[in-house]
Amino acid sequence: MNPKNKNILFNKDLLLTAAKDSFIKLNPGSLIKNPVIFIVAIGSVLTTIIVFIGLFDGNYSSFNLQIAVWLWFTVLFANFAEAIAEGRGKAQAESLRKNRVQTKARKLIGNKDVLISATDLRKGDTVVCEAGDVIPSDGEVIEGIASVDESAITGESAPVIRESGGDRSAVTGGTKVISDRIVIRITTEPGDTFIDRMIALVEGASRQKTPNEIALSILLSGLSIIFLLAVATLPAFFDYGLSASGLPSNQNLTLPVLIALLVCLIPTTIGGLLSAIGISGMDRLIRRNVIATSGRAIEAAGDVDVLLLDKTGTITLGNRMATDFIPAEGVTVEELADAAQLSSLSDETPEGRSIVVLAKEKFNIRGREVHHMNATFIPFTAQTRMSGVDFKAGDGSVQRIRKGSSEAIRSFIQNSNGYYSKQVQDIVSDLSRQGATPLVVAEDSRVLGVIHLKDIVKGGIKQRFAELRKMGIKTVMITGDNPLTAAAIAAEAGVDDFMAEATPEDKLKRIREEQANGHLVGMIGDGTNDAPALAQADIGIAMNSGTQAAREAGNMVDLDSNPTKLIEVVEVGKQLLMTRGSLTTFSIANDVAKYFAIIPAIAVALYAGKDGNGPLSMLNIMNLGSPQSAILSAVIFNALIIILLVPLALKGVRYRPISASLALTRNLFIYGLGGLIVPFIGIKLIDILINL
Amino acid sequence: MTTLDYIQLIVFFSVLTGLTPILGNFMYKVFTGQKHFMLSVYGWLEKLTYRASGIDPRKETDWKSYTFNLLIFNLSGLVFLFLIQVFQSYLPLNPANLPDVSWHSAFNTAVSFITNTNWQGYAGETTLSYFVQMLGLTVQNFVSAATGLAVILAMIRGLSNKSSEKLGNFWVDLTRSTLYVLLPLSILLSVTLVGQGVVQNFKTYDTVQTLEGTEQILPMGPAASQIAIKQLGTNGGGFFNTNSSHPFENPTPFSNFLEMLAILLIPAALTFTYGKMVGSVRQGWTIFSAMLILLLAGLSISLYAEYSANPVFGHLALMEGKETRFGITNSILWATSTSAASNGSVNAMHDSLSPLSGMVAMINIMLGEIIFGGVGAGMYGMIIFVILTVFIAGLMVGRTPEYLGKKIQAFEVQMAMLAILLPNFVILLFSAIASVSNPGLSSINNTGPHGFSEILYAYSSAAGNNGSAFAGLNANTVFYNLTLGIGMLIGRFGVIIPVLAIAGSLGKKMITPTSAGTFRTDNWLFIGLLISVILIVGGLTHFPALSLGPIVEHILMNQNITF
């Protein structure tokens, strides 16, 4: 999980382990999971047997031996691709394991706590943790508040707050309490904790084929059967050709040649790389600190075409900021700014601080040390809905400055027989219409003006949404704001649609509606009330800081608790699918060249004239040295291409946020056309090397 | 080729393209139950059919019942056709007193006609009575084509339905296809053909004195009515043995033009109907374009091969076995169309084609009869390749594959692979058996690679439900009648059942709305992709076999060796 070492694709240990594992994977039980490679393995065994029989009856053929060797390499290379993808996951799992120390738990029985082993904890037990304790298992805080160091799973060293109730109640086993005391109810059985599942996931132990992988495997198996049929019937056709050309039928194709042809034709490239692509897709997600509960979820991420995004934190910075002072008639801007700053000097909310900063930046009004000024601060309360400051003058009179919502200030003014002007009212409704929050400032019975508080849209987010739109993904902003405010922010951020005054039920309803129209919906959430929507969404990413309920409901967990992660997850999904499609296309396109290498080679003797070169040698358009070198070159190319494409399978094809048509054109040009041309060049080069 | 040849080709394809939306739109109205002018003519007959057979036309079924009804219907046809052949001497309308047909030939012919193949191992005029020709063959010519239409209609509903199991009513589709599409077009065509001189009577065979003074028997019979539907329904089974090279079947250049047009007419128009029914005419034209490009490519190669000098005989294009009355261009256009459209009728002998044009005909068939293909069958065969293309290439846009908003998943891929595998299984395995076994080899007429081509062509023709033959092969033997019969059954129902299963599965799925992230299936890029997948997946399988047949023969011919 450590963000360090992120970009190292291979290292020596990894390569060695993977090399060892590729031999272990020769076990038929694991080979059979990959039908294409299994066929190659059977071919290798048969060819090897033929080589050995040849040794004993004097028909030893070095050609057969070379074929056998390269067939074994084909199998080993495919195994290696899978092993190295798994190996990278295992390395991560190892580091997770180290963090999972054997801990003791202080189980609460009645009012006493008893020390037991963490592995003896069952779901529903309650334990107590104090500063310095490692939380023994996943659970929910039911009492108290504490800061917790979660670096073991997130890699993030800053401690986070965990408290009972609310949306920050979930704790993860293996993390450490730094301060205070909390009582935790255990919510998982041992062996099924979050860390356990993470380890299993990154190790690939619980890896199952995803739906698209299954479908692709069926396609590859189907193609293999067709080619098996084409190759198996070839000796019969050949036999006819031999007798028609007056040749003895013992010149028919040998089994090693047929096997070589078969192996070249069946889609070994994608067959060998398929599981590596899947594992590394999961891996790329983990490197972004997102844990998916299944590979299916990553695939769905590529398909998502509607994203429900919470306004706060995803689209806006989360806090409103003061951006302008609009004075009432007869008041100067400076006067207003001064009063606004005074009223906010002790206001520790982000809004309050932004007012102080704005006044300072715009009018150079410095923050003052207010306790010298006989001031009393009036904090914001839900009842008054205002905050401000009272200054006691020398004569005992009190100067009262207040800022607050327009209704609150209106009643404040009217109480002191002041006049709330129509002009101020207009400013207020004008700002509301723009989606801003107006904050009215008053001094005693006089309204000074309005502070323009605005949601600040995150930098670059508009461009991000434009990219998503290009990729055909619709963005929907979810907010509790009123429709006016929501519409204004939606327009500024460039989202496609918004839901104002949204309740969790609305969210769930919206997801169902979108799904009923055939859309796949992705969302990110954290609270307990998000859980139904997270469960309903096709991609539900729960923030790690969220509640246990949310984490259980989603199919992904974002360890960084970063709401924009949703967009990255979609990109990882798309990249995974693109990689799979591109390599499939490449693999199938390869066949054309292999036919032109092998068919003329095997049919050279048929209908041959005096020079011994049959008419079909005309198809030898690559001008390969000899029939044997042609077959061998094709087999060698077929094996080498697997190992050469391993880095691509692990890294994924290059991904850019472009429309489907552009992405297709691009990938088709590189992998389709490339797949047609590359083997012609590759086979020719290998043939030259062999014949040196 | 002369300017006239070019003009004729241009006229031919312009007329075909022009008729596509007209007939396509009419069929769209018929199949979606809208108002159309034929209702006033045959509407009563449709209602009567339902009432007489107790069918509720509003009752739609799921794919399993749809398939079951289709199979039952075809099985009854098979049994009936078999019986009337083996007992034809006891049945009326047999003026030539033809004897009962052998069991294996009867089986072969029965299968051949219910599967829309119309492979004929026998000579029509010397084997089958008028009764069998009319009540057996002609009826099957209609309903086997209508069956093909029913299957593609079910497929279209599967593609356009939103989460519904219902694929329509097989009996309604069958009735409407026959009454409103096949019957009126056939009547129109047969009347025109009779005007051109095609025979249509119940007379006994005429005996005439030839100029040389010898006696010649002129076969008669109700030919025009069967010829119209054999062309329109992509059946191809001729009334006479030499099919449309017989002057009574195809007397004039105009009749030749019409008969060629009729081969491609309904399959071409169906692409438009398809587009209209799935809600995007562009989708239909995309498929039309892919088909047309493949057809024209094959046609060009064939024409090139035929017009090139044959080194053995000097620089004249060879006329032996060609349609001497209408010229080589017409022979080749017919051969290309008939092999592409799974029709199988001929006006020239494919055995006499140059090796390359013979190969083009063979490839047209081997690709699965999807270049226009059989009525309905070509379209649903093409959908199988569309599904494969979408599945292979669709991933490259970063989404799981979908076609027309329907997700293509494991089940669809499995069924699509099955539909591709089974016909290939027939072609490869049966050809292999025939080319190494005595009963297989003893029927061959030619030596060398050409003999092999005859075998390969026969099984391709059976598996693709085409029905044409490299005439050199004597196929009326127990071995060929049985293996070809089984091959035709697998080639027909081994595709239909997976296709209907796909339709059933797709129908239940949601439709993902189109967006910028959708893999487009209605542009030139997709046409190119589709053609590549067809050639690589459908074609490469046969490359080894073809190299041992026509390819090697072509090269040898250029080295002055013929067979």
Side-chain angles (χ1 to χ4, degrees):
Chain A
M1 290 306 93
N2 202 326
K4 278 171 266 167
N5 302 336
K6 241 183 196 174
N7 294 317
I8 295 172
L9 202 53
F10 307 111
N11 64 41
K12 210 171 137 199
D13 287 348
L14 211 55
L15 288 172
L16 279 176
T17 322
K20 206 177 77 195
D21 283 350
S22 9
F23 284 93
I24 296 171
K25 280 172 183 287
L26 286 177
N27 148 33
S30 83
L31 273 181
I32 200 153
K33 284 184 206 148
N34 188 339
V36 179
I37 298 303
F38 189 66
I39 293 178
V40 184
I42 293 175
S44 320
V45 171
L46 288 177
T47 319
T48 312
I49 292 172
I50 289 168
V51 170
F52 273 101
I53 292 175
L55 274 180
F56 291 107
D57 67 6
N59 284 323
Y60 168 75
S61 137
S62 80
F63 171 71
N64 286 354
L65 177 69
Q66 292 180 69
I67 295 279
V69 167
W70 282 104
L71 291 182
W72 282 116
F73 272 128
T74 312
V75 179
L76 287 173
F77 288 166
N79 286 350
F80 179 79
E82 192 180 84
I84 196 146
E86 285 172 356
R88 301 210 304 159
K90 278 200 189 114
Q92 284 174 335
E94 215 42 57
S95 69
L96 277 176
R97 265 212 197 85
K98 274 183 207 144
N99 287 318
R100 195 181 56 168
V101 277
Q102 277 300 320
T103 44
K104 293 279 175 194
R106 292 159 61 189
K107 185 178 171 187
L108 267 185
I109 301 172
N111 282 331
K112 283 194 286 184
D113 51 286
V114 183
L115 207 63
I116 61 164
S117 165
T119 48
D120 293 335
L121 282 175
R122 289 291 173 273
K123 202 167 165 177
D125 288 348
T126 43
V127 294
V128 63
C129 286
E130 285 180 347
D133 286 350
V134 171
I135 295 172
S137 184
D138 291 3
E140 199 160 359
V141 181
I142 51 173
E143 197 187 309
I145 176 166
S147 57
V148 178
D149 172 11
E150 292 196 337
S151 61
I153 52 167
T154 61
E156 183 62 56
S157 53
V160 292
I161 299 293
R162 291 286 175 255
E163 60 184 326
S164 64
D167 291 345
R168 293 183 298 174
S169 61
V171 288
T172 311
T175 57
K176 201 170 175 185
V177 178
I178 295 182
S179 70
D180 304 286
R181 174 182 185 273
I182 43 175
V183 178
I184 299 162
R185 185 174 48 234
I186 302 301
T187 50
T188 48
E189 298 289 348
D192 193 32
T193 65
F194 190 65
I195 286 211
D196 289 323
R197 272 184 291 160
M198 255 171 74
I199 291 173
L201 278 165
V202 294
E203 274 191 334
S206 61
R207 199 181 111 77
Q208 284 176 325
K209 281 188 177 171
T210 61
N212 179 260
E213 245 179 321
I214 292 171
L216 191 54
S217 302
I218 291 173
L219 177 87
L220 300 181
S221 306
L223 289 176
S224 303
I225 295 172
I226 292 181
F227 288 124
L228 186 63
L229 205 63
V231 172
T233 50
L234 200 54
F237 301 157
F238 218 74
D239 188 71
Y240 178 94
L242 285 171
S243 68
S245 359
L247 294 167
S249 55
N250 64 13
Q251 285 202 10
N252 209 321
L253 302 169
T254 63
L255 195 56
V257 167
L258 287 173
I259 291 171
L261 176 62
L262 176 66
V263 169
C264 286
L265 295 184
I266 60 177
T268 47
T269 314
I270 180 66
L273 296 172
L274 188 54
S275 58
I277 296 170
I279 297 170
S280 59
M282 186 80 98
D283 195 52
R284 277 199 293 280
L285 214 51
I286 291 168
R287 272 155 210 273
R288 285 175 167 82
N289 272 354
V290 176
I291 306 284
T293 51
S294 69
R296 181 190 288 260
I298 308 181
E299 240 163 49
D303 281 348
V304 161
D305 57 355
V306 174
L307 293 185
L308 298 192
L309 301 165
D310 276 326
K311 184 199 77 177
T312 310
T314 314
I315 296 168
T316 63
L317 285 172
N319 306 312
R320 284 156 221 239
M321 310 263 267
T323 55
D324 203 5
F325 297 111
I326 306 159
E329 265 171 341
V331 182
T332 63
V333 178
E334 286 78 10
E335 199 181 344
L336 170 64
D338 186 52
Q341 193 190 48
L342 280 174
S343 73
S344 308
L345 280 175
S346 208
D347 183 351
E348 281 304 312
T349 63
E351 286 90 351
R353 259 176 286 159
S354 77
I355 294 170
V356 176
V357 170
L358 183 73
K360 192 170 98 186
E361 280 176 355
K362 262 194 151 170
F363 305 103
N364 208 17
I365 305 171
R366 304 224 134 249
R368 285 142 284 187
E369 285 297 320
V370 274
H371 33 269
H372 301 307
M373 299 159 65
N374 250 341
T376 319
F377 285 99
I378 315 294
F380 178 86
T381 67
Q383 282 79 38
T384 61
R385 294 168 70 208
M386 304 183 288
S387 63
V389 62
D390 286 357
F391 293 110
K392 210 175 260 170
D395 60 355
S397 70
V398 179
Q399 185 196 9
R400 298 186 299 171
I401 302 177
R402 291 290 182 277
K403 68 174 198 290
S405 74
S406 76
E407 289 79 36
I409 297 294
R410 185 197 288 264
S411 60
F412 171 78
I413 293 281
Q414 280 161 0
N415 282 344
S416 42
N417 296 321
Y419 170 65
Y420 191 85
S421 75
K422 168 95 173 31
Q423 182 243 355
V424 173
Q425 187 54 48
D426 285 347
I427 299 172
V428 166
S429 33
D430 202 42
L431 286 180
S432 297
R433 237 189 327 277
Q434 291 171 30
T437 310
L439 216 52
V440 185
V441 182
E443 189 186 337
D444 298 325
S445 61
R446 196 161 69 107
V447 180
L448 295 176
V450 183
I451 307 171
H452 183 174
L453 273 186
K454 204 177 154 192
D455 257 325
I456 301 298
V457 171
K458 280 188 178 175
I461 199 86
K462 189 165 188 169
Q463 196 207 341
R464 206 79 189 264
F465 290 149
E467 286 173 4
L468 286 173
R469 197 169 305 117
K470 254 191 257 163
M471 290 153 58
I473 297 172
K474 191 168 93 174
T475 44
V476 182
M477 183 183 84
I478 311 280
T479 170
D481 290 346
N482 64 59
L484 276 181
T485 315
I489 295 167
E492 194 184 338
V495 290
D496 297 305
D497 198 1
F498 66 90
M499 281 177 78
E501 288 166 356
T503 62
E505 294 74 43
D506 291 339
K507 239 191 239 188
L508 185 62
K509 208 174 126 225
R510 176 67 182 249
I511 294 176
R512 292 215 170 109
E513 274 169 19
E514 295 285 358
Q515 286 173 335
N517 289 325
H519 292 286
L520 269 82
V521 184
M523 70 164 282
I524 193 161
D526 55 358
T528 307
N529 51 20
D530 279 335
L534 279 173
Q536 179 71 34
D538 300 280
I539 289 295
I541 304 178
M543 295 201 225
N544 193 42
S545 61
T547 58
Q548 188 66 21
R551 273 163 41 168
E552 292 289 331
N555 44 16
M556 289 192 193
V557 176
D558 175 27
L559 300 174
D560 298 341
S561 304
N562 169 7
T564 39
K565 211 47 103 44
L566 186 52
I567 299 170
E568 283 178 47
V569 169
V570 170
E571 290 175 353
V572 169
K574 286 202 177 292
Q575 195 192 21
L576 168 75
L577 294 174
M578 277 185 191
T579 309
R580 206 180 274 162
S582 301
L583 289 179
T584 306
T585 307
F586 184 86
S587 186
I588 293 174
N590 268 207
D591 274 6
V592 178
K594 294 177 196 162
Y595 264 114
F596 278 100
I598 296 187
I599 294 290
I602 60 178
V604 69
L606 290 185
Y607 307 104
K610 288 176 207 83
D611 59 349
N613 269 343
L616 283 177
S617 44
M618 266 185 69
L619 294 181
N620 183 4
I621 52 176
M622 284 179 268
N623 199 17
L624 301 177
S626 71
Q628 296 196 329
S629 74
I631 295 171
L632 208 52
S633 308
V635 173
I636 294 174
F637 174 82
N638 198 51
L640 288 181
I641 197 74
I642 297 180
I643 209 79
L644 289 176
L645 289 175
V646 166
L648 183 67
L650 295 186
K651 274 200 312 201
V653 301
R654 209 165 135 215
Y655 173 83
R656 276 206 233 134
I658 42 178
S659 74
S661 297
L662 272 174
L664 179 68
T665 316
R666 215 177 139 261
N667 288 329
L668 204 58
F669 184 73
I670 302 174
Y671 300 99
L673 205 61
L676 277 179
I677 297 166
V678 165
F680 276 103
I681 301 169
I683 292 174
K684 178 68 191 170
L685 284 177
I686 296 170
D687 184 71
I688 293 172
L689 283 176
I690 290 179
N691 287 309
L692 272 182
Chain B
M1 281 172 75
T2 62
T3 320
L4 219 57
D5 289 316
Y6 286 112
I7 291 174
Q8 198 213 320
L9 289 176
I10 290 167
V11 169
F12 180 80
F13 286 106
S14 309
V15 172
L16 181 70
T17 312
L19 286 176
T20 293
I22 298 171
L23 180 60
N25 195 40
F26 171 72
M27 287 198 287
Y28 164 73
K29 284 184 180 164
V30 169
F31 297 140
T32 49
Q34 297 181 31
K35 270 207 165 138
H36 56 87
F37 70 95
M38 281 311 294
L39 270 178
S40 55
V41 187
Y42 285 135
W44 61 274
L45 197 53
E46 187 189 351
K47 285 193 196 104
L48 188 71
T49 313
Y50 298 150
R51 210 168 300 147
S53 44
I55 291 161
D56 178 1
R58 281 156 306 175
K59 204 180 148 214
E60 296 197 36
T61 59
D62 64 3
W63 81 267
K64 282 180 187 150
S65 307
Y66 199 96
T67 313
F68 179 77
N69 290 341
L70 183 145
L71 291 178
I72 283 290
F73 177 75
N74 278 278
L75 183 68
S76 333
L78 176 71
V79 172
F80 175 75
L81 197 50
F82 177 78
L83 291 178
I84 59 171
Q85 284 181 86
V86 292
F87 295 121
Q88 75 170 346
S89 65
Y90 305 99
L91 296 168
L93 284 178
N94 187 0
N97 284 323
L98 297 168
D100 294 338
V101 182
S102 73
W103 66 271
H104 51 89
S105 174
F107 165 74
N108 184 284
T109 306
V111 170
S112 164
F113 277 78
I114 66 150
T115 56
N116 196 256
T117 311
N118 296 27
W119 170 271
Q120 293 166 296
Y122 59 91
E125 59 272 46
T126 58
T127 316
L128 297 180
S129 69
Y130 293 164
F131 183 85
V132 175
Q133 295 255 25
M134 286 169 62
L135 249 83
L137 306 190
T138 309
V139 168
Q140 283 303 327
N141 276 349
F142 279 97
V143 294
S144 67
T147 301
L149 284 173
V151 176
I152 185 62
L153 287 174
M155 180 53 133
I156 293 174
R157 292 187 193 114
L159 281 167
S160 47
N161 275 358
K162 245 191 206 168
S163 331
S164 158
E165 298 220 322
K166 303 288 180 217
L167 291 185
N169 184 322
F170 172 71
W171 306 112
V172 171
D173 291 339
L174 187 75
T175 313
R176 286 188 182 155
S177 305
T178 312
L179 282 183
Y180 301 131
V181 180
L182 298 169
L183 199 57
L185 281 173
S186 303
I187 292 176
L188 196 69
L189 184 62
S190 32
V191 170
T192 322
L193 288 178
V194 169
Q196 292 293 309
V198 177
V199 296
Q200 176 79 5
N201 57 42
F202 288 107
K203 291 201 300 196
T204 47
Y205 297 168
D206 266 352
T207 311
V208 293
Q209 199 87 20
T210 64
L211 288 175
E212 289 96 11
T214 54
E215 273 199 346
Q216 186 185 359
I217 295 175
L218 289 184
M220 292 286 150
S225 57
Q226 193 181 319
I227 290 159
I229 186 63
K230 90 162 184 200
Q231 298 300 95
L232 285 164
T234 59
N235 292 289
F239 195 82
F240 306 116
N241 188 30
T242 56
N243 213 303
S244 281
S245 55
H246 195 292
F248 286 176
E249 277 207 32
N250 186 12
T252 66
F254 184 58
S255 75
N256 190 59
F257 185 88
L258 285 181
E259 287 183 18
M260 285 197 299
L261 193 65
I263 293 177
L264 296 173
L265 183 63
I266 297 180
L270 214 46
T271 59
F272 188 87
T273 313
Y274 173 82
K276 199 119 189 197
M277 283 181 82
V278 300
S280 156
V281 178
R282 263 183 82 103
Q283 297 283 353
W285 283 118
T286 306
I287 290 178
F288 178 89
S289 313
M291 289 174 165
L292 190 66
I293 291 170
L294 283 166
L295 184 79
L296 291 178
L299 183 68
S300 312
I301 295 173
S302 290
L303 285 172
Y304 164 79
E306 289 299 332
Y307 280 102
S308 302
N310 180 319
V312 182
F313 299 103
H315 44 264
L316 273 175
L318 283 179
M319 288 309 291
E320 189 273 324
K322 309 280 160 55
E323 175 51 88
T324 45
R325 294 170 299 157
F326 312 132
I328 283 198
T329 303
N330 274 304
S331 297
I332 295 307
L333 181 55
W334 188 303
T336 311
S337 310
T338 199
S339 54
S342 163
N343 185 296
S345 69
V346 291
N347 73 352
M349 294 302 116
H350 290 186
D351 203 26
S352 302
L353 298 175
S354 71
L356 278 190
S357 21
M359 181 176 81
V360 167
M362 226 185 294
I363 291 176
N364 281 342
I365 298 171
M366 283 170 164
L367 292 180
E369 289 297 7
I370 45 149
I371 308 172
F372 295 106
V375 169
M379 195 66 207
Y380 64 67
M382 191 54 128
I383 302 294
I384 293 288
F385 274 104
V386 168
I387 285 176
L388 277 191
T389 308
V390 163
F391 186 78
I392 293 169
L395 280 172
M396 279 193 283
V397 306
R399 275 219 226 175
T400 57
E402 64 201 23
Y403 178 56
L404 300 176
K406 299 276 188 174
K407 287 279 173 215
I408 307 298
Q409 287 159 321
F411 183 74
E412 287 77 27
V413 173
Q414 196 178 357
M415 289 299 131
M417 285 318 288
L418 205 59
I420 289 183
L421 227 146
L422 287 173
N424 279 322
F425 179 83
V426 170
I427 299 176
L428 290 167
L429 204 65
F430 285 4
S431 303
I433 293 171
S435 55
V436 290
S437 66
N438 269 332
L441 291 169
S442 57
S443 289
I444 301 177
N445 221 352
N446 295 67
T447 54
H450 197 79
F452 176 66
S453 297
E454 287 171 2
I455 295 178
L456 197 58
Y457 195 104
Y459 288 105
S460 305
S461 177
N465 294 143
N466 183 289
S468 65
F470 258 28
L473 189 74
N474 169 28
N476 197 1
T477 66
V478 180
F479 176 81
Y480 278 105
N481 275 333
L482 277 185
T483 51
L484 289 168
I486 293 166
M488 288 186 268
L489 282 176
I490 297 176
R492 177 76 164 178
F493 299 104
V495 179
I496 284 185
I497 296 171
V499 163
L500 288 173
I502 291 174
S505 162
L506 289 179
K508 280 183 258 172
K509 295 187 183 185
M510 306 280 306
I511 294 182
T512 314
T514 317
S515 72
T518 310
F519 176 67
R520 300 262 314 253
T521 53
D522 59 354
N523 55 16
W524 284 104
L525 192 62
F526 184 74
I527 295 175
L529 261 174
L530 180 60
I531 291 176
S532 315
V533 169
I534 290 170
L535 292 179
I536 292 180
V537 175
L540 276 191
T541 321
H542 298 290
F543 188 63
L546 289 173
S547 4
L548 298 178
I551 295 180
V552 77
E553 193 190 346
H554 171 78
I555 300 171
L556 285 171
M557 181 184 81
N558 286 329
Q559 297 172 355
N560 290 346
I561 304 167
T562 54
F563 297 91

